Amino acid sequence: MSMRIEIICTGDEVLTGKIVNTNFSYMSQKLEDVGLSVQWETTVGDDRESLLRAFQLAGERADAVIVNGGLGPTVDDLSQDVAAQAAGVALVLNEEWLGRMEEFFRRRSRVMPPNNQKQAMLPATAELIDNPIGTACGFALDIGRARFFFTPGVPRELRRMLEAEIIPRLLAKSGLQPAIHLKRFHSYGLGESHVDALLRGVEELVPDGGVKLGFRAHYPQLETKLTVRGTDMEDVRRKLAPVEREVRKRLGNFILSEDDATLEGIVLGELASRRASLSIVETFTSGAIAARVAHLPGAERVFRRGLVARDLGEVCAAVGLDGAGGAGELTPARDQADGARHGPGGRPPEARAGRA
């Protein structure tokens, strides 16, 4: 039997669209990766009555609910208080978490503000869920028929808590097979519907349904996912092997990387292995290419500089070129690349005298 999961995201800034709700997309994707799916998503503002109603409705229809946000120290952070009201229990001070917060500030040579004590007020029946990198205490409790998991709105704190604490609890509650593995192939040049057609029937290579095929498009690449379940990791590897071979056979050279490897990471690695360097000139991509490369580990050994300009004259001036050659003719991209490679004033005389 599949488990019915709901995600509730709180905050006026989320409800009004002032911030993009990346937390929901991250949670939904991570749950899908382990074979769990979200049936309902609710966005609620910082209003006590609306929050209470949302918790009550979710408690009636879902098996598990993840609530994101509202665990901070300010007056508009209401998740703990409303959760206690919905569960019909008192809100009490959790001495363990209060001590953790005081230590958190002490390690940073700071005094904990009095309003932070609010973050240690939890429903009496709550199970504490650890947050090793922040002061917002996660917790779980039952409201109606559902198990609720309350998480902080800060993305890195949410992600740590979701992966280390909540997903294992949800998998145990769902009764799914304990061993699970996600295999990913990243391809370029094929659309989602085309790959779906190419891979038709690969799941049937494992008759017990232990392999699920899925896709995630993120331009300009496509991620093909194989979610594999088994009784243990040896069982998982046995099921994955024939499907993995078939995917490689059918997609062939369109596969550019696998698992956590990225296109930019592979390019950077290849350049580093050849002791080559990289300079980037961008006119219409607003620095997007440099942003994907420059921050990667090891980029300091390869990446030299990035130039961003919308005007081609500015590009030419920056790389030491004279600009257009006359009669509306633009300086060729090859000359721009050559100028960027050598830097202003550093291009060889033969390159400055004429076009390559």
Side-chain angles (χ1 to χ4, degrees), residues 67 70 83 128 198 206 229-230 311 319 337:
V67 180
L128 189 150
L198 287 173
V206 181
R229 297 184 180 281
D311 183 81
V319 300

Side-chain angles (χ1 to χ4, degrees), residues 248-313:
R248 293 184 197 280
K249 177 182 174 182
R250 298 190 191 186
L251 297 188
N253 290 334
F254 287 101
I255 298 173
L256 60 90
S257 64
E258 298 181 22
D259 299 320
D260 293 329
T262 61
L263 172 60
E264 51 268 33
I266 288 177
V267 170
L268 194 69
E270 287 292 323
L271 289 171
S273 69
R274 301 176 189 186
R275 297 185 178 181
S277 61
L278 174 67
S279 294
I280 298 173
V281 177
E282 301 182 63
T283 52
F284 302 109
T285 47
S286 303
I289 299 174
R292 290 181 63 166
V293 174
H295 73 283
L296 296 177
E300 68 279 359
R301 298 193 300 271
V302 173
F303 186 71
R304 294 291 173 263
R305 66 170 177 159
L307 169 63
V308 181
R310 291 302 297 266
D311 183 81
L312 290 178

Side-chain angles (χ1 to χ4, degrees), residues 110-136:
R110 295 167 56 196
V111 177
M112 188 181 83
N115 64 341
N116 275 93
Q117 181 170 318
K118 175 178 178 291
Q119 293 181 286
M121 300 296 294
L122 301 180
T125 56
E127 170 199 5
L128 189 150
I129 298 180
D130 192 23
N131 178 4
I133 55 175
T135 60

